[in-house]
Short mmCIF file of all heavy atoms in Angstrom, two decimals:
data_model
loop_
_atom_site.label_atom_id
_atom_site.label_comp_id
_atom_site.label_asym_id
_atom_site.label_seq_id
_atom_site.Cartn_x
_atom_site.Cartn_y
_atom_site.Cartn_z
N HIS A 215 20.83 2.52 -13.98
CA HIS A 215 19.44 2.93 -13.46
C HIS A 215 19.44 2.39 -12.06
O HIS A 215 19.25 1.11 -11.87
CB HIS A 215 18.30 2.34 -14.33
CG HIS A 215 16.90 2.76 -13.96
ND1 HIS A 215 16.33 2.18 -12.93
CD2 HIS A 215 16.20 3.73 -14.52
CE1 HIS A 215 15.13 2.84 -12.76
NE2 HIS A 215 15.05 3.72 -13.80
N SER A 216 19.46 3.26 -11.05
CA SER A 216 19.54 2.82 -9.70
C SER A 216 18.38 3.59 -8.78
O SER A 216 18.62 3.85 -7.72
CB SER A 216 20.89 3.12 -9.03
OG SER A 216 20.98 2.74 -7.77
N ILE A 217 17.28 4.00 -9.47
CA ILE A 217 16.29 4.68 -8.75
C ILE A 217 15.49 3.73 -7.91
O ILE A 217 15.05 2.69 -8.38
CB ILE A 217 15.30 5.35 -9.87
CG1 ILE A 217 16.03 6.39 -10.60
CG2 ILE A 217 14.13 6.02 -9.10
CD1 ILE A 217 15.27 7.05 -11.77
N ALA A 218 15.30 4.18 -6.61
CA ALA A 218 14.57 3.35 -5.72
C ALA A 218 13.48 4.32 -5.09
O ALA A 218 13.70 4.88 -4.10
CB ALA A 218 15.44 2.89 -4.55
N ARG A 219 12.51 4.45 -5.95
CA ARG A 219 11.28 5.26 -5.46
C ARG A 219 9.98 4.55 -5.73
O ARG A 219 9.60 4.32 -6.87
CB ARG A 219 11.38 6.57 -6.29
CG ARG A 219 10.48 7.66 -5.70
CD ARG A 219 10.43 8.83 -6.66
NE ARG A 219 11.81 9.36 -6.65
CZ ARG A 219 12.08 10.36 -7.42
NH1 ARG A 219 11.27 11.10 -8.10
NH2 ARG A 219 13.39 10.81 -7.35
N GLY A 220 9.44 3.91 -4.82
CA GLY A 220 8.17 3.08 -4.83
C GLY A 220 7.31 3.05 -3.72
O GLY A 220 7.65 3.70 -2.61
N ASN A 221 6.17 2.60 -3.94
CA ASN A 221 5.21 2.52 -2.74
C ASN A 221 5.23 1.05 -2.14
O ASN A 221 5.28 -0.01 -2.86
CB ASN A 221 3.83 2.78 -3.29
CG ASN A 221 3.55 4.22 -3.70
OD1 ASN A 221 3.34 5.02 -2.88
ND2 ASN A 221 3.66 4.43 -5.05
N LEU A 222 5.38 1.06 -0.82
CA LEU A 222 5.49 -0.11 0.01
C LEU A 222 4.16 -0.30 0.82
O LEU A 222 4.11 0.25 1.99
CB LEU A 222 6.62 -0.08 0.82
CG LEU A 222 7.99 -0.06 0.13
CD1 LEU A 222 9.14 0.23 0.95
CD2 LEU A 222 8.38 -1.36 -0.67
N LYS A 223 3.13 -0.90 0.28
CA LYS A 223 1.81 -0.96 0.83
C LYS A 223 1.40 -2.49 0.55
O LYS A 223 1.69 -3.01 -0.42
CB LYS A 223 0.91 0.00 0.37
CG LYS A 223 1.22 1.39 0.56
CD LYS A 223 0.22 2.41 -0.08
CE LYS A 223 0.63 3.78 -0.10
NZ LYS A 223 -0.35 4.66 -0.82
N PRO A 224 0.39 -2.96 1.48
CA PRO A 224 -0.14 -4.22 1.21
C PRO A 224 -1.14 -4.25 0.10
O PRO A 224 -1.68 -3.11 -0.19
CB PRO A 224 -0.75 -4.72 2.58
CG PRO A 224 -1.10 -3.29 3.03
CD PRO A 224 0.10 -2.41 2.75
N LEU A 225 -1.54 -5.34 -0.63
CA LEU A 225 -2.62 -5.36 -1.61
C LEU A 225 -4.01 -5.12 -1.01
O LEU A 225 -4.89 -4.55 -1.61
CB LEU A 225 -2.49 -6.59 -2.40
CG LEU A 225 -1.30 -6.82 -3.18
CD1 LEU A 225 -1.50 -8.14 -3.86
CD2 LEU A 225 -1.06 -5.72 -4.20
N VAL A 226 -4.24 -5.56 0.10
CA VAL A 226 -5.48 -5.41 0.85
C VAL A 226 -5.27 -5.04 2.29
O VAL A 226 -4.22 -5.36 2.88
CB VAL A 226 -6.22 -6.80 0.73
CG1 VAL A 226 -6.72 -7.10 -0.62
CG2 VAL A 226 -5.58 -7.94 1.48
N ALA A 227 -6.30 -4.41 2.87
CA ALA A 227 -6.15 -4.00 4.30
C ALA A 227 -6.16 -5.11 5.21
O ALA A 227 -6.62 -6.20 4.91
CB ALA A 227 -7.37 -3.09 4.59
N ARG A 228 -5.33 -4.99 6.18
CA ARG A 228 -5.09 -6.00 7.11
C ARG A 228 -6.38 -6.41 7.82
O ARG A 228 -6.62 -7.60 8.20
CB ARG A 228 -4.05 -5.67 8.23
CG ARG A 228 -2.56 -5.75 7.54
CD ARG A 228 -1.54 -5.15 8.47
NE ARG A 228 -0.26 -5.26 7.93
CZ ARG A 228 0.26 -4.41 7.11
NH1 ARG A 228 -0.44 -3.28 6.77
NH2 ARG A 228 1.53 -4.55 6.51
N GLU A 229 -7.25 -5.39 8.04
CA GLU A 229 -8.60 -5.65 8.61
C GLU A 229 -9.52 -4.95 7.65
O GLU A 229 -9.76 -3.86 7.50
CB GLU A 229 -8.74 -5.08 10.10
CG GLU A 229 -7.95 -5.72 11.15
CD GLU A 229 -8.12 -5.18 12.36
OE1 GLU A 229 -9.14 -4.42 12.51
OE2 GLU A 229 -7.40 -5.60 13.36
N LEU A 230 -10.36 -5.81 6.89
CA LEU A 230 -11.29 -5.32 5.87
C LEU A 230 -12.47 -4.68 6.56
O LEU A 230 -13.11 -5.14 7.36
CB LEU A 230 -11.79 -6.48 5.05
CG LEU A 230 -10.87 -7.28 4.26
CD1 LEU A 230 -11.48 -8.38 3.42
CD2 LEU A 230 -10.23 -6.33 3.18
N SER A 231 -12.50 -3.24 6.29
CA SER A 231 -13.53 -2.48 6.88
C SER A 231 -14.30 -1.76 5.86
O SER A 231 -15.18 -1.02 6.17
CB SER A 231 -12.85 -1.38 7.81
OG SER A 231 -12.03 -0.56 7.00
N GLY A 232 -14.02 -2.03 4.58
CA GLY A 232 -14.80 -1.32 3.55
C GLY A 232 -14.12 -0.06 3.05
O GLY A 232 -14.48 0.57 2.09
N ASN A 233 -13.16 0.51 3.87
CA ASN A 233 -12.55 1.78 3.57
C ASN A 233 -11.06 1.38 3.53
O ASN A 233 -10.38 1.28 4.51
CB ASN A 233 -12.85 2.78 4.57
CG ASN A 233 -12.01 4.11 4.25
OD1 ASN A 233 -11.68 4.28 3.16
ND2 ASN A 233 -11.92 5.03 5.19
N GLU A 234 -10.52 1.24 2.17
CA GLU A 234 -9.03 0.92 2.12
C GLU A 234 -8.22 2.07 1.72
O GLU A 234 -7.04 1.94 1.48
CB GLU A 234 -9.05 -0.15 1.16
CG GLU A 234 -9.68 -1.47 1.51
CD GLU A 234 -9.44 -2.53 0.49
OE1 GLU A 234 -9.32 -2.22 -0.69
OE2 GLU A 234 -9.54 -3.78 0.77
N SER A 235 -8.82 3.29 1.62
CA SER A 235 -8.09 4.52 1.10
C SER A 235 -6.76 4.76 2.03
O SER A 235 -7.01 4.72 3.20
CB SER A 235 -9.02 5.63 0.93
OG SER A 235 -9.53 5.99 2.23
N GLY A 236 -5.72 5.02 1.41
CA GLY A 236 -4.59 5.30 2.16
C GLY A 236 -3.79 4.11 2.78
O GLY A 236 -2.73 4.40 3.33
N GLU A 237 -4.43 3.03 2.94
CA GLU A 237 -3.83 1.84 3.58
C GLU A 237 -3.24 0.82 2.63
O GLU A 237 -2.44 -0.03 3.08
CB GLU A 237 -4.80 1.32 4.43
CG GLU A 237 -5.33 2.21 5.64
CD GLU A 237 -6.32 1.58 6.50
OE1 GLU A 237 -6.49 0.34 6.40
OE2 GLU A 237 -6.76 2.35 7.48
N VAL A 238 -3.83 0.73 1.48
CA VAL A 238 -3.46 -0.28 0.56
C VAL A 238 -2.85 0.25 -0.72
O VAL A 238 -3.10 1.45 -1.09
CB VAL A 238 -4.65 -1.20 0.20
CG1 VAL A 238 -5.12 -1.95 1.48
CG2 VAL A 238 -5.72 -0.42 -0.39
#
């Protein structure tokens, strides 16, 4: 099993703006 398919995103937005969709 050598599948490397994943999401590489932070847990929270670097600048909290109330809209985290697509960034976290």
